[in-house]
Amino acid sequence: MAKLLKLFTKWLIQWIFAVYYGLIVSFAILCDIIKCGPKTFFHRETRTSRPECMNDPALGTHGFLNLQTGIRIHYVAAGDEDKPLMLFLHGFPECWYSWRYQIKAFKSEYRVVSVDMRGYGESDCPVGMKNYSSRILTDDIRDIISELGYSSCVLVGHDWGGLIAWCVAMEYPELVDKLIINNVAHPDRLAKHIASHWSQFRKSWYIFLFQLPYLPELMLRAKDYSFLKGSFMGKSFGIRTPDMFTLTDLEAMKFSFSQQGAITGAVNYYRSALQTKPLRSKPIKCPTILIWGDKDGALEIEMTKGHDKYVDNFTLKIVEGASHWVQQDFPDKVNRIMSEFLKG
C-alpha cells in the first residue's frame, strides 16, 4: 500500500507541474500568435532534401540499418571498415550532424559512425511513447553495433545520447571498450540532482511540459522551428563560439526536425522517461571520461560530482567557457581530450 501511495504521489506531482507549465506555455503561444500573426506562427518551410552541408563527402557516406525490431536507423560513416568502431549518439534537439567535427577528427584512426537516434531525422519514428523507453533505446545501440559488423566500440554520447550510452555500458559492458560522455551525468546522478536541487528542477521545467499531448509539438514547430535557433544560437543556452555553429548548420538541424514524426519522436524520449520503468543501475567497469562545458545553461556542473560511485575508472574534464553543446562549441579542445583519453 505504501508503495502504491508513493507512486500515486509521484504521478500527481508530475501532472500538477505539467498542467502548470502547460498553462504558462499556452498563454505565451496565444500572445505570440497575436503578436506575429497566425501565418507567421504556423509557417514551416518544406524540406524534402538534405542541405548540402549534410552531404559533405568529408563527413562520410549515408546509409541505413534495418534492426531486428523492424526499426530502420539512418547513419553516416567514414573511415576504413577494418578499423575499430567509434559510435556517436546525439542528444536533444540534435541529429547525427552534431558530431561533424569529431567525425573529421577521428576518421583516420577509427571507423566513425554517427546515427540519427530512433525518433530523429531520417531514422524511423515509431508511434507511442512506450517505444522510447530506456530499455528499447539501449537495445537499439546493441543492435546497431551488431548490424555494423562489430562486437564492441568506443561509445560517445551527448545529452540524451549520453544517457543511453551510460545505459549501454551498464547493460552490455562487453560492447563498450571505452565510454566518452559529453555534458550529461550518470542517469542516477542526474535524477537525484534534479530531485534535490530546486535550481535544477526549475531548469528542467520542459520535462514536465513534454508530458502533455500536442502542446509541446505545437511549441516546437512554431515559426519554422524557431526554438532551434534559440537553443543553439541564443544568449542563454547557445553555442558560445559563433563560428562553430552557423545558419547553415541550423538548417541541417531544421531538416532533421522537419522529417515526418521527428518532433513527436524527440518529445517521446521525455514522456517515456517519466512514465516507464528505468533500467537498474549497475557498476561501469570500462574506462570512462565525462567532458563538461562549465557554461552549460541546462545542466548544473555540480552534478559532475560523485561519479566514482558508479564508475570504477572515471575521469572528469571541464572545458572552460563551453556551453551545453560542448563538442560543437570547442571541438578542438574536446577532440584533444578525447584523443588523450583514448591513447591513455
Side-chain angles (χ1 to χ4, degrees), residues 102-270:
Q102 288 67 45
I103 291 172
K104 293 177 181 178
F106 292 97
K107 66 181 181 179
S108 63
E109 303 171 61
Y110 292 88
R111 174 66 170 175
V112 290
V113 176
S114 184
V115 300
D116 276 335
M117 302 282 283
R118 168 193 292 245
Y120 280 84
E122 296 178 67
S123 289
D124 283 351
C125 305
V127 177
M129 67 91 182
K130 290 184 178 180
N131 285 307
Y132 298 86
S133 68
S134 55
R135 164 59 65 189
I136 288 175
L137 295 170
T138 300
D139 287 351
D140 274 354
I141 309 309
R142 176 200 62 189
D143 295 344
I144 287 170
I145 294 170
S146 176
E147 288 295 325
L148 289 170
Y150 289 85
S151 58
S152 65
C153 70
V154 172
L155 189 57
V156 189
H158 169 255
D159 189 78
W160 256 109
L163 285 174
I164 301 308
W166 282 115
C167 292
V168 174
M170 288 190 287
E171 288 294 301
Y172 303 110
E174 70 281 2
L175 297 182
V176 186
D177 300 319
K178 289 190 175 183
L179 181 64
I180 301 174
I181 304 292
N182 290 259
N183 272 76
V184 71
H186 183 282
D188 283 10
R189 184 74 186 92
L190 175 64
K192 289 176 181 177
H193 189 84
I194 293 175
S196 60
H197 291 75
W198 177 243
S199 56
Q200 182 61 63
F201 189 90
R202 286 184 299 169
K203 289 178 181 178
S204 305
W205 65 274
Y206 56 91
I207 297 176
F208 300 100
L209 173 72
F210 284 1
Q211 302 308 306
L212 298 174
Y214 307 119
L215 184 62
E217 284 89 338
L218 175 63
M219 179 184 74
L220 297 177
R221 290 191 180 104
K223 295 182 288 188
D224 195 34
Y225 312 100
S226 64
F227 87 99
L228 288 168
K229 186 173 184 179
S231 297
F232 293 109
M233 307 177 84
K235 291 183 179 180
S236 299
F237 300 101
I239 290 171
R240 293 173 175 266
T241 312
D243 292 345
M244 295 295 100
F245 192 93
T246 66
L247 290 175
T248 299
D249 301 322
L250 178 63
E251 187 58 30
M253 299 300 177
K254 286 189 176 185
F255 169 79
S256 175
F257 272 89
S258 69
Q259 302 308 297
Q260 185 175 0
I263 287 286
T264 298
V267 173
N268 275 338
Y269 278 61
Y270 293 93

Side-chain angles (χ1 to χ4, degrees), residues 73-121:
I73 296 293
H74 171 250
Y75 70 93
V76 173
D80 295 337
E81 293 185 32
D82 59 353
K83 293 182 177 178
L85 174 65
M86 180 181 286
L87 182 62
F88 295 104
L89 311 179
H90 67 81
F92 173 87
E94 301 174 273
C95 66
W96 71 266
Y97 186 75
S98 303
W99 298 105
R100 58 197 177 280
Y101 297 115
Q102 288 67 45
I103 291 172
K104 293 177 181 178
F106 292 97
K107 66 181 181 179
S108 63
E109 303 171 61
Y110 292 88
R111 174 66 170 175
V112 290
V113 176
S114 184
V115 300
D116 276 335
M117 302 282 283
R118 168 193 292 245
Y120 280 84

Side-chain angles (χ1 to χ4, degrees), residues 274-291:
L274 293 190
Q275 299 182 48
T276 61
K277 188 177 180 180
L279 294 176
R280 184 172 62 87
S281 183
K282 300 173 185 176
I284 294 176
K285 304 294 185 181
C286 68
T288 301
I289 188 169
L290 176 58
I291 303 171

